[in-house]
């Protein structure tokens, strides 16, 4: 079982007996965090799972089936996790905490339906993607439906929640546009890549952490610190996925190594390698192979993967991930010590360590 599944399994929340003596919180594709968190954190996540299934339901059985497609496939629930952790700095039992977590997870799920259409992805979370099971049009419309459900729930949370959710959605769209268009002339490709990740990934994770503070009644200072942490840890986490595509074996990462490389998706190690002016034979050859574009040829793909794994570019990318994880840790300075802050710090450590 994937370590993340200690929390989620197929539903997102483990049983009380799965949590260990102090309580283990699955750290979203990382090793579980044993942080001695109070049961209130688990109750938030359990509430989210129940609410998600209810909130995606429609009067049309087909819409319900399609909307539950990715939900039933499982998932990391990273964003609800950060809502639950952020809520520990206020009162996590407040009734708005669970709906706030549902808003961010539904928004995330909606983006996955749309991403799979744009990427022409045949599989998502180990199951056929919605677009391959039905059609692109159905997948797009189901994503729209989930966005609408998220907006409906956020309206019950108040004007500020609606505003934040809308602004986050705008950032998600801007990030997707930037990724689709690519870097403009004169723009550093690495800077462009980091901007895309901040918009597409960091923005929603920042909102998740902010919502945890906001709707638990945490102080404005603590809520702002949580939002800053969420943005930084979101970027670090996505960058670490860039590295895992290169460095990890299939049984560890859950996907075929070098998938992004084969599809021509620019990731941080690749961008660093292309920008390098190292004159050694391996670096020169790596740039030549990467310049080909999508590496559909098996021999070239294997050669590039091997060169990347031994390259200074991969080492530099690891240093960038660690730097971003430390930026996230620094955002926690205003928060009081305790199990929740320890869990957030542990995420920084595990993201920095997961890529070797």
């Amino acid at each position: 079982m994937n370590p993340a599944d200690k929390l989620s399994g197929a539903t997102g929340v483990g049983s009380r007996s799965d949590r260990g003596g102090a309580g283990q919180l699955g750290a979203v594709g990382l090793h579980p965090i044993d942080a001695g968190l109070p049961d209130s954190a688990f109750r938030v996540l359990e509430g989210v799972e129940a609410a998600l299934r209810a909130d995606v339901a429609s009067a049309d059985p087909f819409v319900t089936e399609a909307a539950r497609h990715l939900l039933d496939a499982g998932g990391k629930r990273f964003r609800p996790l950060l809502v639950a952790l952020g809520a520990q700095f206020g009162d996590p039992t407040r009734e708005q905490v669970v709906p706030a977590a549902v808003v961010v997870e539904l928004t995330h799920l909606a983006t996955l339906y749309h991403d799979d259409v744009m990427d022409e992805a045949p599989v998502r979370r180990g199951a056929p993607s919605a677009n391959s099971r039905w059609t692109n049009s159905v997948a797009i419309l189901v994503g729209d439906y989930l966005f609408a459900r998220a907006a409906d729930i956020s309206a019950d949370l108040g004007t500020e929640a609606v505003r934040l959710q809308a602004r986050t959605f705008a950032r998600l769209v801007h990030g997707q546009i930037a990724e689709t268009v690519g870097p403009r002339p004169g723009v550093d490709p690495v800077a462009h890549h980091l901007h895309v990740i901040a918009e597409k990934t960091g923005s929603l994770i920042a909102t998740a952490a902010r919502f945890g503070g906001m709707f638990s009644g945490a102080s404005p200072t603590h809520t702002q610190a949580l939002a800053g942490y969420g943005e930084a840890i979101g970027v670090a986490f996505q960058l670490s996925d860039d590295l895992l595509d290169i460095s990890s074996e299939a049984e560890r990462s859950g996907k075929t190594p070098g998938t992004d490389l084969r599809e021509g998706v620019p990731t941080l190690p690749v961008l660093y390698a292309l920008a390098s002016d190292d004159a050694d034979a391996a670096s020169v050859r790596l740039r030549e192979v990467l310049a080909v574009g999508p590496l559909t040829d098996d021999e070239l793909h294997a050669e590039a993967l091997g060169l990347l794994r031994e390259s200074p570019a991969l080492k530099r990318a690891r240093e960038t991930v660690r730097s971003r994880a430390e930026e996230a840790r620094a955002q926690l300075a205003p928060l009081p010590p305790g199990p929740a802050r320890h869990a957030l710090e542990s995420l920084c450590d595990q993201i920095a360590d997961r890529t070797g």
Side-chain angles (χ1 to χ4, degrees), residues 65-147:
E65 178 188 7
R68 284 182 175 171
H69 180 65
L70 287 184
L71 191 63
D72 290 342
K76 300 167 183 175
R77 306 293 189 260
F78 194 13
R79 292 146 193 86
L81 168 63
L82 287 188
V83 176
L85 290 174
Q88 301 305 308
F89 297 96
D91 177 2
T93 68
R94 286 191 174 187
E95 65 179 2
Q96 291 179 310
V97 172
V98 167
V102 170
V103 167
V104 293
E105 187 64 8
L106 286 179
T107 302
H108 172 58
L109 286 170
T111 67
L112 298 185
Y113 281 85
H114 287 178
D115 282 351
D116 286 346
V117 172
M118 296 192 70
D119 298 341
E120 300 180 347
V123 176
R124 168 72 69 174
R125 295 178 174 176
S129 61
N131 49 298
S132 64
R133 180 173 175 180
W134 293 290
T135 65
N136 281 345
S137 295
V138 167
I140 291 169
L141 292 168
V142 171
D144 291 345
Y145 170 71
L146 293 176
F147 277 127

Side-chain angles (χ1 to χ4, degrees), residues 225-299:
L226 288 164
Y229 170 87
E231 178 107 10
I233 204 68
V235 172
F237 185 77
Q238 186 59 52
L239 288 176
S240 70
D241 270 1
D242 279 8
L243 273 65
L244 286 176
D245 183 65
I246 301 299
S247 64
S248 183
E249 298 302 327
E251 56 269 19
R252 179 184 170 196
S253 66
K255 72 173 185 176
T256 304
T259 298
D260 292 335
L261 197 61
R262 188 178 295 277
E263 295 175 355
V265 176
T267 60
L268 191 64
V270 168
L271 293 172
Y272 277 154
L274 287 171
S276 168
D277 57 4
D278 292 336
D280 61 283
S283 295
V284 171
R285 176 57 182 164
L286 178 57
R287 290 196 295 272
E288 290 174 352
V289 175
L290 292 177
V292 171
L295 296 175
T296 55
D297 179 86
D298 288 342
E299 289 188 11

